[in-house]
Amino acid sequence: PMEGLPELREWFARGIGGAVTAAEVLITAGGQSALATALRALAPPGTPVLVESPTYPGMLAIARAAGLRPVPVPVDADGVRPALLADAFRATGARVFVCQPLFQNPTGAVLAPERRGEVLRIARAAGAFVVEDDFVRRLVHEDAGPLPAPLAADDPDGVVVHVCSLTKATSPSFRVSALAAHGPVLERLRAIQVVDTFFVPRPLQEAALELVGSPAWPRHLRAVSAELKARRDAMTSALRLRLPEVSLAHVPSGGYHLWPRLPEGADESALTAAALRAGVAITPGRPYFSAEPPAAHFRLSFAAVANVGEIAEGVRRLRTACLEVWGG
């Protein structure tokens, strides 16, 4: 079936929760593909789309490739700021807001409970959709505690278009994800997907079903959860010991990266280049902003390392790069 195997759609629907049913789920080829389908289905070329600031550069690239104009809405430690979101809808006439309510990339923020309903209310009043990129729910850390449900689980009105994926918890090559939506918008999503990718290969969907139905799946997620916490703690400790000059305002309990802020006046491009010369890769903060950034940041990932020892060595090399750029 072009919408995906019924059993896999049912599994994703149960994971989203609320009133979402298998009939409201489409199987897609990875989260990036699902986001591209959603934006093409919801926003005509040339129109604005509201985005968190900062946000995932891949999403900004999708929006621009679709001919859309990303308009930033600032995020703080509790997620998107509802008053500014309402202002942005009024000022732009946008009909789409893209967000990551859980462990936002790059800040790691979780949308506060008191803001969840407000965001949906604001979007509903604007006649707009909320595209919820639930990209990292399966990469929660061991000490996170209970997670909030997806926004889609609290949305009886069809405001939320939900995106979730198996890729990050499995392998970059395992391109299996889901799009979920209520009402007529589902037909628009299905029509765009048929044009763009036709359908996800059945053998890949069968493999996904076998994986998530296996006793090894919950064991795998527990192992990932424990390892992510250990790596996060190792990187946080190393940064505070060796690089007290950078500010680490928020340490997330999910995901695989940190978002340090550089000292006032620091040049993130110069630091990125110096870090490469020292043998460590960091991501400059500028591409995460759709407008002028308020401060210099960089993103540090702790996923693609062999062990916590490599994290300590990486931060030591980063210290060398900082001394080269800043002196001292």
Side-chain angles (χ1 to χ4, degrees):
M2 283 190 290
E3 296 88 351
L5 296 183
E7 299 88 350
L8 188 56
R9 295 165 74 195
E10 173 63 33
W11 183 85
F12 274 113
R14 286 199 307 272
I16 298 166
V20 177
T21 67
E24 295 166 324
V25 174
L26 303 176
I27 302 302
T28 58
Q32 190 84 349
S33 173
L35 286 171
T37 296
L39 286 184
R40 286 191 60 204
L42 299 175
T47 59
V49 57
L50 304 187
V51 300
E52 294 172 313
S53 182
T55 191
Y56 167 50
M59 196 280 299
L60 294 177
I62 291 169
R64 289 169 179 145
L68 305 176
R69 294 185 288 111
V71 176
V73 184
V75 170
D76 62 20
D78 292 320
V80 70
R81 297 167 61 182
L84 298 182
L85 179 65
D87 289 345
F89 273 125
R90 280 192 296 268
T92 64
R95 292 295 177 262
V96 180
F97 169 52
V98 186
C99 64
Q100 295 176 325
L102 187 67
F103 307 127
Q104 196 257 359
N105 181 9
T107 66
V110 176
L111 187 62
E114 64 273 14
R115 293 187 182 183
R116 290 167 56 89
E118 200 170 354
V119 166
L120 296 182
R121 180 188 60 76
I122 290 166
R124 190 182 304 112
F129 290 100
V130 174
V131 177
E132 177 184 29
D133 182 10
D134 200 19
F135 76 112
V136 80
R137 183 169 293 271
R138 294 177 181 87
L139 295 185
V140 63
H141 300 172
E142 199 172 41
D143 59 349
L147 297 183
L151 291 180
D154 299 326
D155 169 44
D157 303 319
V159 170
V160 178
V161 173
H162 179 87
V163 176
C164 58
S165 174
L166 286 173
T167 304
K168 282 185 170 58
T170 55
S171 161
S173 298
F174 204 71
R175 312 300 298 172
V176 178
S177 63
L179 259 174
H182 296 306
V185 69
L186 186 65
E187 292 305 319
R188 284 153 61 189
L189 293 167
R190 182 185 288 112
I192 292 291
Q193 176 172 319
V194 168
V195 169
D196 283 354
T197 57
F198 206 24
F199 57 84
V200 176
R202 184 176 183 123
L204 192 57
Q205 295 189 59
E206 296 280 8
L209 268 173
E210 184 175 343
L211 174 65
V212 299
S214 162
W217 178 241
R219 289 201 302 270
H220 167 68
L221 293 181
R222 286 194 299 271
V224 168
S225 178
E227 182 65 18
L228 285 172
K229 178 185 180 297
R231 293 179 179 208
R232 179 205 67 195
D233 290 348
M235 183 172 279
T236 302
S237 298
L239 285 172
R240 288 175 173 160
L241 175 67
R242 293 189 176 273
L243 282 173
E245 300 91 342
V246 305
S247 169
L248 197 57
H250 177 63
V251 178
S253 53
Y256 49 91
H257 63 264
L258 299 177
W259 180 242
R261 176 172 172 164
L262 291 170
E264 193 69 30
D267 185 334
E268 62 185 47
S269 297
L271 179 58
T272 303
L276 279 177
R277 288 193 294 272
V280 61
I282 66 174
T283 307
R286 180 65 185 85
Y288 291 82
F289 293 89
S290 59
E292 193 62 29
H297 292 79
F298 62 102
R299 199 186 84 145
L300 286 179
S301 170
F302 45 82
V305 294
N307 49 53
V308 294
E310 282 196 2
I311 292 173
E313 174 62 16
V315 175
R316 187 193 69 76
R317 295 184 186 191
L318 186 57
R319 176 67 183 173
T320 301
C322 289
L323 290 175
E324 177 189 328
V325 174
W326 302 335

